[in-house]
Amino acid sequence: FVKAAGHARIGVDTASANEVKETLELGLKGSDIVVTAVGKTESLVELSIKEGCLLVIDNLDELALIEKVAARLGKTARCGLRLSGFKTEERIIRSRFGFPIEDASTLARQVASSPDLSLEVFHAHIDKYSPRERAMAAFAMIDLIKTLKADKIEIKSIDLGGGILISYLEEER
């Protein structure tokens, strides 16, 4: 899969230091790797910054760690903010990952003002594959991007991530 992604010149989402290392060993460049691991370790952050990977930030602790490591390395960390709390008619799309959408404008300005960070992406972790819910999240992020553009903050892309909840058990126990 990773080799095929590299040949097709598309990126790869990784969730651990081992996945980043294996992806690099298979020939992809760091600039083609997104790191969405939850609870990023300092060694993962350091590897990711050195290789030019994009780090998706989930919380303030990760933000502080990424900024600290980038400053120590003297390199700019490529970053994205993972967002949640998108509103639809039926529900608020909550996730255990990321920042509330209501805080995104303030956080984006904070990240964009750091000399050690480059904010490139807004990412959403959505627990269903409802096209309507994904569209609502995309429109909310696009509206936010338009607002930030007035402050000269340029977001390059959005990422609608997440998964399908699956039980791998034949029956409940």
Side-chain angles (χ1 to χ4, degrees):
F1 171 76
V2 173
K3 286 180 182 179
H7 290 301
R9 302 189 59 149
I10 58 175
V12 173
D13 184 329
T14 61
S16 70
N18 283 341
E19 286 185 11
V20 172
K21 289 174 190 171
E22 290 171 359
T23 302
L24 290 166
E25 289 169 3
L26 288 170
L28 270 79
K29 298 178 291 191
S31 59
D32 293 328
I33 299 172
V34 176
V35 180
T36 58
V38 176
K40 295 168 189 68
T41 63
E42 188 162 345
S43 60
L44 172 58
V45 169
E46 184 172 326
L47 171 65
S48 299
I49 293 171
K50 283 180 178 177
E51 295 294 337
C53 303
L54 184 124
L55 289 152
V56 176
I57 303 169
D58 273 305
N59 56 58
L60 293 174
D61 290 341
E62 283 186 0
L63 174 57
L65 175 63
I66 292 166
E67 192 166 22
K68 178 184 87 170
V69 173
R72 177 171 49 79
L73 294 174
K75 294 192 84 173
T76 301
R78 297 176 57 230
C79 298
L81 290 176
R82 186 162 10 215
L83 306 174
S84 70
F86 303 100
K87 294 178 178 82
T88 71
E89 291 84 14
E90 297 82 31
R91 69 180 186 130
I92 295 176
I93 307 169
R94 302 217 186 270
S95 173
R96 61 184 186 254
F97 308 115
F99 298 99
I101 185 81
E102 299 83 31
D103 299 340
S105 182
T106 301
L107 284 163
R109 287 179 175 86
Q110 178 183 344
V111 172
S113 69
S114 172
D116 301 308
L117 306 175
S118 171
L119 180 60
E120 299 180 15
V121 174
F122 284 148
H123 174 97
H125 184 272
I126 300 173
D127 64 354
K128 293 182 183 178
Y129 276 94
S130 160
R132 180 163 179 69
E133 287 191 0
R134 288 182 175 269
M136 301 284 290
F139 284 124
M141 290 190 287
I142 290 167
D143 288 344
L144 180 58
I145 290 168
K146 289 177 183 176
T147 300
L148 292 169
K149 196 169 190 170
D151 291 337
K152 307 280 190 257
I153 298 172
E154 300 268 343
I155 305 299
K156 295 178 182 175
S157 63
I158 61 173
D159 179 355
L160 297 172
I164 301 172
L165 300 176
I166 297 173
S167 173
Y168 293 96
L169 302 174
E170 286 185 35
E171 57 187 71
E172 296 273 333
R173 295 190 192 239

